Amino acid sequence: MRSALPRPRELPPWQQNGLVALAVFAGGTMLYLTDSHRLLPNGDPFPLWIRFAELGAICLAAFLRRKVPWGLLVATGIVGVDVALGLSLPIAIAYTDFLYSAMLYGSRWTTRVLVGVTATVTLTVLFVFLAVAGWRTAALGAFSMLSFLLVPVWWGANVRQQSDIAASERANAEQLATIAALDRKAAVAAERSRMARDLHDVVAGHLSAIAIQSEAALSMADDPKTAQTVLVAVRENSVRALEEMRAMIGLLRSESAEDEVTAPARLAELARLVESARAAGMTVTVDSTVDEELTLPTAVDLTAYRIAQEALTNAVKHAPGGRATVRLRVADGTLTVEIGNELLGAPGRSDGGGHGLLSMRERAHAVGGTLRVGPSGPRWLVHAELPLAGEPS
């Protein structure tokens, strides 16, 4: 099947100019052969070949119609010759296209000069006609100037203005699309950074528990039953760390969240953390008034779990064999997570220069909550308050 013919505006510029020249020559030939070309009342004393020479010259000049101002100057010269011979309709019509093209393709300076010159010529001709031939002839001259000078200039200026507006809108749309794409990339990068930090926290917590529990198992050679319990906890932590790492790496590699196959840990899995800490020798008490059927916001749920995980991991690391308490409360639209343990070491214990405290604080702030960490009497206390309906800060 043959393709459709291209539209004139889709053709190369030189072909468009050729079509204009062909149309001008065909129309002018028809006017000359039918003797309809005269604009002045007197007859045409010049032979027809002179008129066709003018017509051919302005048709050739049509290939320069986009070369502003040179094309317009050449056409103006041909019109000057035609005026001296007696203005003819084909040349006047062809000249309107040069005026239109100059307004459409010329520089800003050229268009301003052309508007000024056109207005000046129109007013000058009008005053001359008024002074010499009276108001009837002046009205006819004004109408002629309006048709052959002012209309193409106004039309070209209007089309150019609309083209400039369309180009500006396209540029704005492209800029908005670029900004949107950059925002999406930044959001993806930020989300992947948070997931990477999440992966670090998860694996670090599990591996810390594994290291401590392994050390405890090595020291229980005379108590095989307890050692076996500890090794079971070590295995559970190892498997859990691998699952978390596999799921998170899968998310980091995926192009969208739709590829997620494993849900991140939630507060409902707190029992695993508690059992892991107990296997390491801690005495852990859980005091929770949170209804199991209560659906927590995903971000708050995950944040509470990670804070509890980091706090219990630090308790096992810095106060092995001690007592710890985990308290969960929901009141006034706020989830309170509090983990306290005995201070068996120096009161000024810190995170040891790691990222645990910073990570807990950032997670709490990300969901609009607060976090307090430090000694409280004979205990080390991690206290987080997470709003259930608050906006991230």
Side-chain angles (χ1 to χ4, degrees):
M1 182 177 180
R2 298 181 61 183
S3 60
L5 293 176
R7 298 178 180 178
R9 69 179 60 182
E10 297 174 352
L11 295 174
W14 70 271
Q15 293 185 7
Q16 295 182 27
N17 296 336
L19 289 177
V20 171
L22 184 61
V24 169
F25 188 81
T29 299
M30 183 181 300
L31 292 173
Y32 284 133
L33 293 179
T34 58
D35 198 24
S36 303
H37 64 282
R38 290 176 295 178
L39 291 177
L40 298 179
N42 298 329
D44 189 358
F46 298 97
L48 200 59
W49 68 266
I50 294 180
R51 295 299 186 182
F52 271 106
E54 288 182 320
L55 181 62
I58 204 164
C59 287
L60 290 177
F63 288 92
L64 301 176
R65 56 195 289 269
R66 294 172 183 261
K67 305 294 183 180
V68 182
W70 307 114
L72 180 62
L73 293 177
V74 171
T76 302
I78 296 173
V79 170
V81 173
D82 189 67
V83 169
L85 298 178
L87 187 62
S88 60
L89 183 58
I91 302 300
I93 293 176
Y95 190 64
T96 60
D97 180 69
F98 283 90
L99 293 174
Y100 169 81
S101 300
M103 292 298 298
L104 188 60
Y105 304 117
S107 64
R108 297 293 182 186
W109 181 85
T110 301
T111 57
R112 286 195 293 266
V113 171
L114 183 57
V115 170
V117 170
T118 302
T120 301
V121 170
T122 301
L123 293 176
T124 301
V125 172
L126 180 60
F127 287 134
V128 169
F129 281 175
L130 281 174
V132 175
W135 68 270
R136 293 182 182 274
T137 305
L140 180 61
F143 178 77
S144 300
M145 289 295 177
L146 179 66
S147 301
F148 294 107
L149 290 181
L150 297 182
V151 169
V153 169
W154 167 81
W155 189 8
N158 188 53
V159 172
R160 178 166 185 159
Q161 181 182 21
Q162 298 301 321
S163 299
D164 291 343
I165 293 175
S168 177
E169 292 296 330
R170 283 194 298 270
N172 291 337
E174 291 175 358
Q175 291 179 356
L176 290 176
T178 302
I179 293 173
L182 293 176
D183 288 342
R184 286 194 297 271
K185 289 182 180 180
V188 170
E191 182 64 22
R192 288 173 183 263
S193 177
R194 286 193 292 269
M195 288 191 292
R197 184 183 63 188
D198 196 23
L199 175 62
H200 166 269
D201 294 344
V202 171
V203 176
H206 285 301
L207 292 182
S208 296
I210 290 171
I212 295 171
Q213 292 165 355
S214 300
E215 183 179 358
L218 291 174
S219 64
M220 295 178 181
D222 54 344
D223 190 353
K225 185 176 180 179
T226 304
Q228 184 179 5
T229 302
V230 173
L231 291 175
V232 170
V234 168
R235 182 183 181 280
E236 290 181 354
N237 277 290
S238 302
V239 172
R240 188 62 179 171
L242 288 174
E243 290 177 353
E244 294 276 1
M245 183 181 295
R246 187 179 299 111
M248 201 62 66
I249 290 177
L251 286 175
L252 290 172
R253 287 179 176 175
S254 67
E255 293 297 329
S256 66
E258 296 177 358
D259 298 330
E260 183 176 357
V261 295
T262 303
R266 302 293 177 86
L267 199 58
E269 302 177 33
L270 182 63
R272 291 191 180 187
L273 299 178
V274 173
E275 290 302 323
S276 177
R278 287 172 179 169
M282 294 287 295
T283 301
V284 183
T285 302
V286 179
D287 181 11
S288 175
T289 61
V290 178
D291 189 352
E292 294 182 357
E293 297 181 357
L294 176 64
T295 301
L296 299 174
T298 302
V300 174
D301 201 353
L302 178 59
T303 298
Y305 178 86
R306 295 307 184 208
I307 290 175
Q309 181 185 41
E310 185 69 31
L312 286 175
T313 299
N314 289 337
V316 171
K317 183 188 301 182
H318 296 288
R323 295 178 177 274
T325 303
V326 179
R327 291 190 174 89
L328 302 176
R329 298 284 188 275
V330 174
D332 299 328
T334 301
L335 172 64
T336 301
V337 181
E338 185 177 281
I339 299 93
N341 63 273
E342 296 176 317
L343 276 174
L344 301 182
R349 180 196 73 174
S350 67
D351 254 345
H355 298 283
L357 177 58
L358 178 60
S359 176
M360 288 192 293
R361 195 178 304 279
E362 288 182 351
R363 288 181 180 278
H365 289 172
V367 296
T370 58
L371 179 77
R372 298 195 306 273
V373 180
S376 177
R379 305 168 67 235
W380 181 267
L381 192 65
V382 175
H383 182 90
E385 294 183 0
L386 311 176
L388 299 181
E391 294 293 334
S393 61

PDB file of all heavy atoms in Angstrom, residues 116-146:
ATOM      1  N   GLY A 116       7.162  49.384  11.198  1.00  0.00           N
ATOM      2  CA  GLY A 116       7.275  50.847  11.123  1.00  0.00           C
ATOM      3  C   GLY A 116       7.228  51.365   9.699  1.00  0.00           C
ATOM      4  O   GLY A 116       6.541  52.364   9.398  1.00  0.00           O
ATOM      5  N   VAL A 117       7.972  50.695   8.790  1.00  0.00           N
ATOM      6  CA  VAL A 117       7.997  51.134   7.392  1.00  0.00           C
ATOM      7  C   VAL A 117       6.616  50.974   6.759  1.00  0.00           C
ATOM      8  O   VAL A 117       6.144  51.858   6.023  1.00  0.00           O
ATOM      9  CB  VAL A 117       9.052  50.331   6.611  1.00  0.00           C
ATOM     10  CG1 VAL A 117       8.923  50.598   5.112  1.00  0.00           C
ATOM     11  CG2 VAL A 117      10.448  50.688   7.097  1.00  0.00           C
ATOM     12  N   THR A 118       5.946  49.862   7.028  1.00  0.00           N
ATOM     13  CA  THR A 118       4.621  49.628   6.449  1.00  0.00           C
ATOM     14  C   THR A 118       3.630  50.695   6.906  1.00  0.00           C
ATOM     15  O   THR A 118       2.854  51.246   6.104  1.00  0.00           O
ATOM     16  CB  THR A 118       4.108  48.233   6.848  1.00  0.00           C
ATOM     17  OG1 THR A 118       5.043  47.246   6.412  1.00  0.00           O
ATOM     18  CG2 THR A 118       2.757  47.950   6.223  1.00  0.00           C
ATOM     19  N   ALA A 119       3.628  50.982   8.204  1.00  0.00           N
ATOM     20  CA  ALA A 119       2.722  52.006   8.721  1.00  0.00           C
ATOM     21  C   ALA A 119       3.034  53.367   8.116  1.00  0.00           C
ATOM     22  O   ALA A 119       2.118  54.132   7.747  1.00  0.00           O
ATOM     23  CB  ALA A 119       2.827  52.055  10.242  1.00  0.00           C
ATOM     24  N   THR A 120       4.321  53.693   7.979  1.00  0.00           N
ATOM     25  CA  THR A 120       4.712  54.991   7.422  1.00  0.00           C
ATOM     26  C   THR A 120       4.291  55.120   5.963  1.00  0.00           C
ATOM     27  O   THR A 120       3.739  56.161   5.532  1.00  0.00           O
ATOM     28  CB  THR A 120       6.233  55.173   7.541  1.00  0.00           C
ATOM     29  OG1 THR A 120       6.615  55.084   8.921  1.00  0.00           O
ATOM     30  CG2 THR A 120       6.661  56.517   6.977  1.00  0.00           C
ATOM     31  N   VAL A 121       4.527  54.070   5.178  1.00  0.00           N
ATOM     32  CA  VAL A 121       4.148  54.104   3.757  1.00  0.00           C
ATOM     33  C   VAL A 121       2.641  54.228   3.607  1.00  0.00           C
ATOM     34  O   VAL A 121       2.140  55.007   2.769  1.00  0.00           O
ATOM     35  CB  VAL A 121       4.668  52.842   3.048  1.00  0.00           C
ATOM     36  CG1 VAL A 121       4.086  52.743   1.629  1.00  0.00           C
ATOM     37  CG2 VAL A 121       6.188  52.865   2.978  1.00  0.00           C
ATOM     38  N   THR A 122       1.901  53.494   4.409  1.00  0.00           N
ATOM     39  CA  THR A 122       0.437  53.542   4.321  1.00  0.00           C
ATOM     40  C   THR A 122      -0.080  54.943   4.621  1.00  0.00           C
ATOM     41  O   THR A 122      -0.931  55.489   3.888  1.00  0.00           O
ATOM     42  CB  THR A 122      -0.183  52.525   5.292  1.00  0.00           C
ATOM     43  OG1 THR A 122       0.293  51.220   4.962  1.00  0.00           O
ATOM     44  CG2 THR A 122      -1.696  52.540   5.209  1.00  0.00           C
ATOM     45  N   LEU A 123       0.411  55.548   5.699  1.00  0.00           N
ATOM     46  CA  LEU A 123      -0.044  56.890   6.059  1.00  0.00           C
ATOM     47  C   LEU A 123       0.372  57.922   5.012  1.00  0.00           C
ATOM     48  O   LEU A 123      -0.403  58.846   4.676  1.00  0.00           O
ATOM     49  CB  LEU A 123       0.505  57.275   7.434  1.00  0.00           C
ATOM     50  CG  LEU A 123      -0.051  56.467   8.629  1.00  0.00           C
ATOM     51  CD1 LEU A 123       0.651  56.882   9.924  1.00  0.00           C
ATOM     52  CD2 LEU A 123      -1.561  56.688   8.763  1.00  0.00           C
ATOM     53  N   THR A 124       1.580  57.772   4.486  1.00  0.00           N
ATOM     54  CA  THR A 124       2.060  58.725   3.484  1.00  0.00           C
ATOM     55  C   THR A 124       1.199  58.684   2.225  1.00  0.00           C
ATOM     56  O   THR A 124       0.770  59.724   1.688  1.00  0.00           O
ATOM     57  CB  THR A 124       3.526  58.417   3.126  1.00  0.00           C
ATOM     58  OG1 THR A 124       4.319  58.504   4.312  1.00  0.00           O
ATOM     59  CG2 THR A 124       4.045  59.394   2.078  1.00  0.00           C
ATOM     60  N   VAL A 125       0.923  57.457   1.735  1.00  0.00           N
ATOM     61  CA  VAL A 125       0.084  57.319   0.538  1.00  0.00           C
ATOM     62  C   VAL A 125      -1.315  57.865   0.793  1.00  0.00           C
ATOM     63  O   VAL A 125      -1.918  58.525  -0.058  1.00  0.00           O
ATOM     64  CB  VAL A 125       0.037  55.842   0.108  1.00  0.00           C
ATOM     65  CG1 VAL A 125      -0.981  55.634  -1.022  1.00  0.00           C
ATOM     66  CG2 VAL A 125       1.414  55.383  -0.350  1.00  0.00           C
ATOM     67  N   LEU A 126      -1.841  57.614   1.977  1.00  0.00           N
ATOM     68  CA  LEU A 126      -3.178  58.098   2.309  1.00  0.00           C
ATOM     69  C   LEU A 126      -3.235  59.622   2.288  1.00  0.00           C
ATOM     70  O   LEU A 126      -4.154  60.225   1.698  1.00  0.00           O
ATOM     71  CB  LEU A 126      -3.586  57.560   3.679  1.00  0.00           C
ATOM     72  CG  LEU A 126      -4.967  57.974   4.191  1.00  0.00           C
ATOM     73  CD1 LEU A 126      -6.073  57.491   3.238  1.00  0.00           C
ATOM     74  CD2 LEU A 126      -5.197  57.436   5.601  1.00  0.00           C
ATOM     75  N   PHE A 127      -2.252  60.295   2.884  1.00  0.00           N
ATOM     76  CA  PHE A 127      -2.230  61.761   2.898  1.00  0.00           C
ATOM     77  C   PHE A 127      -2.034  62.340   1.486  1.00  0.00           C
ATOM     78  O   PHE A 127      -2.632  63.365   1.127  1.00  0.00           O
ATOM     79  CB  PHE A 127      -1.147  62.272   3.835  1.00  0.00           C
ATOM     80  CG  PHE A 127      -1.488  62.104   5.287  1.00  0.00           C
ATOM     81  CD1 PHE A 127      -0.557  61.588   6.185  1.00  0.00           C
ATOM     82  CD2 PHE A 127      -2.746  62.459   5.763  1.00  0.00           C
ATOM     83  CE1 PHE A 127      -0.870  61.446   7.518  1.00  0.00           C
ATOM     84  CE2 PHE A 127      -3.057  62.311   7.099  1.00  0.00           C
ATOM     85  CZ  PHE A 127      -2.125  61.789   7.994  1.00  0.00           C
ATOM     86  N   VAL A 128      -1.221  61.674   0.679  1.00  0.00           N
ATOM     87  CA  VAL A 128      -0.998  62.155  -0.691  1.00  0.00           C
ATOM     88  C   VAL A 128      -2.282  62.073  -1.492  1.00  0.00           C
ATOM     89  O   VAL A 128      -2.658  63.014  -2.226  1.00  0.00           O
ATOM     90  CB  VAL A 128       0.131  61.353  -1.356  1.00  0.00           C
ATOM     91  CG1 VAL A 128       0.182  61.655  -2.859  1.00  0.00           C
ATOM     92  CG2 VAL A 128       1.465  61.680  -0.711  1.00  0.00           C
ATOM     93  N   PHE A 129      -2.989  60.944  -1.339  1.00  0.00           N
ATOM     94  CA  PHE A 129      -4.248  60.803  -2.058  1.00  0.00           C
ATOM     95  C   PHE A 129      -5.284  61.827  -1.588  1.00  0.00           C
ATOM     96  O   PHE A 129      -6.058  62.362  -2.386  1.00  0.00           O
ATOM     97  CB  PHE A 129      -4.789  59.386  -1.894  1.00  0.00           C
ATOM     98  CG  PHE A 129      -4.122  58.368  -2.772  1.00  0.00           C
ATOM     99  CD1 PHE A 129      -4.437  57.024  -2.660  1.00  0.00           C
ATOM    100  CD2 PHE A 129      -3.188  58.748  -3.713  1.00  0.00           C
ATOM    101  CE1 PHE A 129      -3.826  56.080  -3.469  1.00  0.00           C
ATOM    102  CE2 PHE A 129      -2.570  57.816  -4.531  1.00  0.00           C
ATOM    103  CZ  PHE A 129      -2.881  56.475  -4.402  1.00  0.00           C
ATOM    104  N   LEU A 130      -5.292  62.088  -0.287  1.00  0.00           N
ATOM    105  CA  LEU A 130      -6.236  63.081   0.234  1.00  0.00           C
ATOM    106  C   LEU A 130      -5.932  64.465  -0.321  1.00  0.00           C
ATOM    107  O   LEU A 130      -6.849  65.257  -0.644  1.00  0.00           O
ATOM    108  CB  LEU A 130      -6.183  63.105   1.765  1.00  0.00           C
ATOM    109  CG  LEU A 130      -6.929  61.992   2.498  1.00  0.00           C
ATOM    110  CD1 LEU A 130      -6.650  62.071   3.990  1.00  0.00           C
ATOM    111  CD2 LEU A 130      -8.439  62.116   2.247  1.00  0.00           C
ATOM    112  N   ALA A 131      -4.643  64.772  -0.409  1.00  0.00           N
ATOM    113  CA  ALA A 131      -4.250  66.105  -0.878  1.00  0.00           C
ATOM    114  C   ALA A 131      -4.420  66.269  -2.382  1.00  0.00           C
ATOM    115  O   ALA A 131      -4.724  67.368  -2.867  1.00  0.00           O
ATOM    116  CB  ALA A 131      -2.797  66.379  -0.489  1.00  0.00           C
ATOM    117  N   VAL A 132      -4.265  65.204  -3.140  1.00  0.00           N
ATOM    118  CA  VAL A 132      -4.248  65.319  -4.601  1.00  0.00           C
ATOM    119  C   VAL A 132      -5.579  64.924  -5.224  1.00  0.00           C
ATOM    120  O   VAL A 132      -6.110  65.622  -6.099  1.00  0.00           O
ATOM    121  CB  VAL A 132      -3.107  64.454  -5.186  1.00  0.00           C
ATOM    122  CG1 VAL A 132      -3.158  64.456  -6.718  1.00  0.00           C
ATOM    123  CG2 VAL A 132      -1.769  64.964  -4.694  1.00  0.00           C
ATOM    124  N   ALA A 133      -6.140  63.796  -4.781  1.00  0.00           N
ATOM    125  CA  ALA A 133      -7.281  63.235  -5.502  1.00  0.00           C
ATOM    126  C   ALA A 133      -8.579  63.241  -4.725  1.00  0.00           C
ATOM    127  O   ALA A 133      -9.602  62.791  -5.234  1.00  0.00           O
ATOM    128  CB  ALA A 133      -6.960  61.804  -5.934  1.00  0.00           C
ATOM    129  N   GLY A 134      -8.598  63.683  -3.492  1.00  0.00           N
ATOM    130  CA  GLY A 134      -9.844  63.719  -2.735  1.00  0.00           C
ATOM    131  C   GLY A 134     -10.064  62.464  -1.902  1.00  0.00           C
ATOM    132  O   GLY A 134      -9.318  61.495  -1.969  1.00  0.00           O
ATOM    133  N   TRP A 135     -11.149  62.531  -1.131  1.00  0.00           N
ATOM    134  CA  TRP A 135     -11.335  61.472  -0.142  1.00  0.00           C
ATOM    135  C   TRP A 135     -11.763  60.140  -0.760  1.00  0.00           C
ATOM    136  O   TRP A 135     -11.471  59.065  -0.214  1.00  0.00           O
ATOM    137  CB  TRP A 135     -12.356  61.903   0.910  1.00  0.00           C
ATOM    138  CG  TRP A 135     -13.767  62.039   0.383  1.00  0.00           C
ATOM    139  CD1 TRP A 135     -14.341  63.124  -0.139  1.00  0.00           C
ATOM    140  CD2 TRP A 135     -14.749  60.993   0.363  1.00  0.00           C
ATOM    141  NE1 TRP A 135     -15.636  62.881  -0.513  1.00  0.00           N
ATOM    142  CE2 TRP A 135     -15.912  61.570  -0.196  1.00  0.00           C
ATOM    143  CE3 TRP A 135     -14.765  59.665   0.765  1.00  0.00           C
ATOM    144  CZ2 TRP A 135     -17.083  60.821  -0.369  1.00  0.00           C
ATOM    145  CZ3 TRP A 135     -15.925  58.938   0.600  1.00  0.00           C
ATOM    146  CH2 TRP A 135     -17.066  59.510   0.025  1.00  0.00           C
ATOM    147  N   ARG A 136     -12.442  60.153  -1.901  1.00  0.00           N
ATOM    148  CA  ARG A 136     -12.849  58.889  -2.522  1.00  0.00           C
ATOM    149  C   ARG A 136     -11.633  58.079  -2.979  1.00  0.00           C
ATOM    150  O   ARG A 136     -11.523  56.882  -2.712  1.00  0.00           O
ATOM    151  CB  ARG A 136     -13.782  59.158  -3.698  1.00  0.00           C
ATOM    152  CG  ARG A 136     -15.126  59.735  -3.308  1.00  0.00           C
ATOM    153  CD  ARG A 136     -16.009  59.924  -4.529  1.00  0.00           C
ATOM    154  NE  ARG A 136     -17.297  60.516  -4.178  1.00  0.00           N
ATOM    155  CZ  ARG A 136     -18.361  59.814  -3.782  1.00  0.00           C
ATOM    156  NH1 ARG A 136     -18.271  58.499  -3.713  1.00  0.00           N
ATOM    157  NH2 ARG A 136     -19.487  60.415  -3.478  1.00  0.00           N
ATOM    158  N   THR A 137     -10.743  58.778  -3.658  1.00  0.00           N
ATOM    159  CA  THR A 137      -9.516  58.099  -4.094  1.00  0.00           C
ATOM    160  C   THR A 137      -8.670  57.706  -2.896  1.00  0.00           C
ATOM    161  O   THR A 137      -8.028  56.640  -2.889  1.00  0.00           O
ATOM    162  CB  THR A 137      -8.713  59.012  -5.030  1.00  0.00           C
ATOM    163  OG1 THR A 137      -9.548  59.417  -6.113  1.00  0.00           O
ATOM    164  CG2 THR A 137      -7.490  58.300  -5.560  1.00  0.00           C
ATOM    165  N   ALA A 138      -8.653  58.544  -1.844  1.00  0.00           N
ATOM    166  CA  ALA A 138      -7.895  58.222  -0.639  1.00  0.00           C
ATOM    167  C   ALA A 138      -8.455  56.973   0.037  1.00  0.00           C
ATOM    168  O   ALA A 138      -7.706  56.117   0.530  1.00  0.00           O
ATOM    169  CB  ALA A 138      -7.917  59.404   0.323  1.00  0.00           C
ATOM    170  N   ALA A 139      -9.790  56.848   0.047  1.00  0.00           N
ATOM    171  CA  ALA A 139     -10.411  55.668   0.644  1.00  0.00           C
ATOM    172  C   ALA A 139     -10.062  54.414  -0.149  1.00  0.00           C
ATOM    173  O   ALA A 139      -9.764  53.348   0.420  1.00  0.00           O
ATOM    174  CB  ALA A 139     -11.923  55.853   0.712  1.00  0.00           C
ATOM    175  N   LEU A 140     -10.085  54.535  -1.489  1.00  0.00           N
ATOM    176  CA  LEU A 140      -9.711  53.393  -2.322  1.00  0.00           C
ATOM    177  C   LEU A 140      -8.245  53.016  -2.115  1.00  0.00           C
ATOM    178  O   LEU A 140      -7.889  51.835  -2.016  1.00  0.00           O
ATOM    179  CB  LEU A 140      -9.964  53.719  -3.793  1.00  0.00           C
ATOM    180  CG  LEU A 140      -9.622  52.618  -4.802  1.00  0.00           C
ATOM    181  CD1 LEU A 140     -10.466  51.377  -4.536  1.00  0.00           C
ATOM    182  CD2 LEU A 140      -9.837  53.119  -6.239  1.00  0.00           C
ATOM    183  N   GLY A 141      -7.362  54.039  -2.007  1.00  0.00           N
ATOM    184  CA  GLY A 141      -5.948  53.767  -1.754  1.00  0.00           C
ATOM    185  C   GLY A 141      -5.722  53.132  -0.394  1.00  0.00           C
ATOM    186  O   GLY A 141      -4.894  52.233  -0.233  1.00  0.00           O
ATOM    187  N   ALA A 142      -6.485  53.622   0.612  1.00  0.00           N
ATOM    188  CA  ALA A 142      -6.346  53.036   1.946  1.00  0.00           C
ATOM    189  C   ALA A 142      -6.762  51.573   1.949  1.00  0.00           C
ATOM    190  O   ALA A 142      -6.131  50.720   2.585  1.00  0.00           O
ATOM    191  CB  ALA A 142      -7.183  53.831   2.945  1.00  0.00           C
ATOM    192  N   PHE A 143      -7.849  51.265   1.207  1.00  0.00           N
ATOM    193  CA  PHE A 143      -8.291  49.875   1.123  1.00  0.00           C
ATOM    194  C   PHE A 143      -7.239  49.006   0.433  1.00  0.00           C
ATOM    195  O   PHE A 143      -6.982  47.867   0.840  1.00  0.00           O
ATOM    196  CB  PHE A 143      -9.617  49.798   0.367  1.00  0.00           C
ATOM    197  CG  PHE A 143     -10.131  48.408   0.195  1.00  0.00           C
ATOM    198  CD1 PHE A 143     -10.734  47.732   1.257  1.00  0.00           C
ATOM    199  CD2 PHE A 143      -9.996  47.760  -1.019  1.00  0.00           C
ATOM    200  CE1 PHE A 143     -11.194  46.433   1.094  1.00  0.00           C
ATOM    201  CE2 PHE A 143     -10.462  46.462  -1.191  1.00  0.00           C
ATOM    202  CZ  PHE A 143     -11.060  45.796  -0.127  1.00  0.00           C
ATOM    203  N   SER A 144      -6.624  49.555  -0.610  1.00  0.00           N
ATOM    204  CA  SER A 144      -5.580  48.811  -1.319  1.00  0.00           C
ATOM    205  C   SER A 144      -4.380  48.567  -0.416  1.00  0.00           C
ATOM    206  O   SER A 144      -3.816  47.458  -0.383  1.00  0.00           O
ATOM    207  CB  SER A 144      -5.156  49.578  -2.572  1.00  0.00           C
ATOM    208  OG  SER A 144      -6.264  49.763  -3.439  1.00  0.00           O
ATOM    209  N   MET A 145      -3.974  49.601   0.338  1.00  0.00           N
ATOM    210  CA  MET A 145      -2.849  49.425   1.261  1.00  0.00           C
ATOM    211  C   MET A 145      -3.181  48.405   2.345  1.00  0.00           C
ATOM    212  O   MET A 145      -2.340  47.607   2.755  1.00  0.00           O
ATOM    213  CB  MET A 145      -2.500  50.776   1.902  1.00  0.00           C
ATOM    214  CG  MET A 145      -1.857  51.751   0.935  1.00  0.00           C
ATOM    215  SD  MET A 145      -0.252  51.157   0.376  1.00  0.00           S
ATOM    216  CE  MET A 145       0.187  52.439  -0.796  1.00  0.00           C
ATOM    217  N   LEU A 146      -4.419  48.456   2.812  1.00  0.00           N
ATOM    218  CA  LEU A 146      -4.830  47.499   3.831  1.00  0.00           C
ATOM    219  C   LEU A 146      -4.741  46.069   3.309  1.00  0.00           C
ATOM    220  O   LEU A 146      -4.300  45.156   4.004  1.00  0.00           O
ATOM    221  CB  LEU A 146      -6.257  47.812   4.277  1.00  0.00           C
ATOM    222  CG  LEU A 146      -6.870  46.867   5.339  1.00  0.00           C
ATOM    223  CD1 LEU A 146      -6.128  47.000   6.655  1.00  0.00           C
ATOM    224  CD2 LEU A 146      -8.352  47.170   5.519  1.00  0.00           C
TER     225      LEU A 146
END
